[in-house]
Amino acid sequence: MLNEKKLEMAFKRYSKNFVEGIKYDEVKEQYEERKHEIKSIVELNEIEKDHILLIDLSSISSCYFSKWKNDVLINGGRKFDELKKVQKVVFYQCMGQELYITRYPNMRVRYTFSEVITALIHFTMFGWEREEKILFDFIIKHFGRHLMDVNDENRHIWFLLELYLQYRNKTIMGTNQKLHLIVIEQLKENGLEYDLIPESLDVYQAVLEQWSNQDLELTGNLVEGMSLYHSKLAAEIGSLGEFGDFGYAFYPYEILFLIYVRKKHRLPVPEHFDDFLMITPEAKMIIDDPEPYPEWDPLLRLIDDFYRKNYPDYIPNKQGELFQ
């Protein structure tokens, strides 16, 4: 049973964190501090130091992540503007990381599997099909290897990836059903780490088996089950584990993606929600179809132009102009 009081208190902690903890003004200062470093490397064309540009992308992401929280969570906005920039940075972290496979084969990857799948799902919901395809191709190319370590414990991420595969009629390792189990077996055979990957997707398995049903009441029950699962974990804000962090604890994007996919298939979806999770500010953001591309961050543009200039094999060089 869900402790509603505990959940509400957790949400207050979640919101307070972006007022008294991770303050946008302080994060913006860190962004400004990186500006000189990035401009110096680019202007001097310091290729021997350019891996620092990849590292500095995290500061750009943090800046817009904090601004998103400030705009939506604190000030009651309804738009995805700043979150779009966060997902865009994840894309360029992937594109840049591939450049250093030979020079720095053991270089720490600047993103997580969860972050990349989250970006893929948002690109899909935003209607950015070109960038979605490029990112998916990157995932496939490096799946299970150093640049795409899939030893991830988050059930909702495996749910999102499998639902995406079924929605787009794609496969990974030859399947789009119970992918997590196939991945466990494949990694085990290859002597790679797989211990964090869940053997059960819990409530999400039932959703995957029935997401395309025609029954509105059944769909409502599935959404209710997902919301309950998410809410119980979000109520433990500050703890380790799924939905226990201050990033997406009260942003039910796995449910929003299910609703998006059903709408695309012209299947009935619930129009109103009463549970706490689904009426939080982040849950009520409005997604346009398609979402316009965000403005380019000037530092991200500098980094992209630098990589395009110096690395012919840089993936965006083969794709022309992106995000416009």
Side-chain angles (χ1 to χ4, degrees), residues 54 57 91-100 296 300-320 322:
L54 182 59
L57 283 173
F91 176 91
Y92 280 101
Q93 286 175 316
C94 292
M95 300 301 103
Q97 193 79 46
E98 192 178 71
L99 299 175
Y100 299 97
W296 272 86
L300 180 59
R301 174 65 89 180
L302 281 177
I303 293 171
D304 181 47
D305 287 345
F306 177 93
Y307 283 143
R308 284 178 180 269
K309 171 186 173 183
N310 290 291
Y311 295 93
D313 291 334
Y314 179 54
I315 294 173
N317 263 341
K318 306 170 186 177
Q319 304 294 337
L322 299 173

Side-chain angles (χ1 to χ4, degrees), residues 105-165:
N106 298 316
M107 183 179 181
R108 183 170 75 85
V109 174
R110 311 305 301 186
Y111 49 79
T112 66
F113 179 62
S114 289
E115 289 171 337
V116 177
I117 299 305
T118 298
L120 178 72
I121 294 310
H122 280 87
F123 283 8
T124 306
M125 291 194 292
F126 294 158
W128 300 349
E129 293 186 6
R130 189 178 181 197
E131 291 78 11
E132 173 201 330
K133 181 182 183 304
I134 296 168
L135 186 57
F136 181 73
D137 288 345
F138 177 89
I139 293 169
I140 292 294
K141 180 179 180 180
H142 299 289
F143 196 84
R145 301 186 180 93
H146 177 59
L147 296 196
M148 192 52 56
D149 180 2
V150 300
N151 190 25
D152 191 293
E153 66 183 346
N154 293 297
R155 289 181 172 88
H156 74 283
I157 292 298
W158 290 102
F159 161 75
L160 285 168
L161 179 55
E162 187 163 319
L163 180 57
Y164 170 83
L165 293 175

Side-chain angles (χ1 to χ4, degrees), residues 13-244:
R13 284 187 62 198
Y14 178 70
S15 301
K16 188 177 181 180
N17 180 62
F18 295 99
V19 176
E20 300 180 2
I22 306 174
K23 299 177 182 178
Y24 171 66
D25 290 343
E26 294 178 358
V27 176
K28 179 66 173 176
E29 283 182 18
Q30 296 173 5
Y31 171 95
E32 294 296 330
E33 289 172 2
R34 295 289 181 273
K35 182 183 294 186
H36 174 74
E37 181 176 59
I38 292 171
K39 287 187 173 181
S40 176
I41 292 172
V42 170
E43 290 172 1
L44 297 175
N45 206 40
E46 295 183 298
I47 296 177
E48 70 281 359
K49 294 182 179 180
D50 63 18
H51 62 284
I52 295 174
L53 299 177
L54 182 59
I55 296 171
D56 285 347
L57 283 173
S58 295
S59 295
I60 300 174
S61 177
S62 295
C63 178
Y64 290 111
F65 190 86
S66 181
K67 191 170 191 307
W68 167 53
K69 294 294 186 180
N70 192 67
D71 289 352
V72 175
L73 188 61
I74 309 304
N75 295 326
R78 302 286 294 274
K79 288 294 189 177
F80 280 85
D81 295 347
E82 308 309 325
L83 182 59
K84 289 189 288 190
K85 296 175 184 177
V86 174
Q87 309 306 333
K88 182 176 176 179
V89 172
V90 173
F91 176 91
Y92 280 101
Q93 286 175 316
C94 292
M95 300 301 103
Q97 193 79 46
E98 192 178 71
L99 299 175
Y100 299 97
I101 293 177
T102 301
R103 198 195 318 176
Y104 304 119
N106 298 316
M107 183 179 181
R108 183 170 75 85
V109 174
R110 311 305 301 186
Y111 49 79
T112 66
F113 179 62
S114 289
E115 289 171 337
V116 177
I117 299 305
T118 298
L120 178 72
I121 294 310
H122 280 87
F123 283 8
T124 306
M125 291 194 292
F126 294 158
W128 300 349
E129 293 186 6
R130 189 178 181 197
E131 291 78 11
E132 173 201 330
K133 181 182 183 304
I134 296 168
L135 186 57
F136 181 73
D137 288 345
F138 177 89
I139 293 169
I140 292 294
K141 180 179 180 180
H142 299 289
F143 196 84
R145 301 186 180 93
H146 177 59
L147 296 196
M148 192 52 56
D149 180 2
V150 300
N151 190 25
D152 191 293
E153 66 183 346
N154 293 297
R155 289 181 172 88
H156 74 283
I157 292 298
W158 290 102
F159 161 75
L160 285 168
L161 179 55
E162 187 163 319
L163 180 57
Y164 170 83
L165 293 175
Q166 293 179 18
Y167 170 56
R168 288 300 195 203
N169 195 27
K170 296 177 181 292
T171 62
I172 292 178
M173 294 184 175
T175 188
N176 59 17
Q177 309 240 345
K178 297 184 178 179
L179 174 66
H180 61 294
L181 298 180
I182 301 299
V183 172
I184 288 173
E185 289 305 313
Q186 189 63 58
L187 294 181
K188 188 186 298 185
E189 288 181 15
N190 294 338
L192 301 173
E193 293 184 359
Y194 62 90
D195 57 299
L196 295 180
I197 302 175
E199 294 188 358
S200 167
L201 296 189
D202 205 287
V203 65
Y204 298 122
Q205 191 57 54
V207 180
L208 286 168
E209 292 169 358
Q210 303 177 79
W211 71 265
S212 60
N213 75 83
Q214 299 278 348
D215 189 331
L216 179 58
E217 182 177 357
L218 173 57
T219 301
N221 291 336
L222 294 174
V223 169
E224 184 178 339
M226 293 171 70
S227 180
L228 179 60
Y229 175 85
H230 187 136
S231 296
K232 284 182 176 179
L233 295 171
E236 304 296 333
I237 192 77
S239 64
L240 296 176
E242 196 167 18
F243 302 124

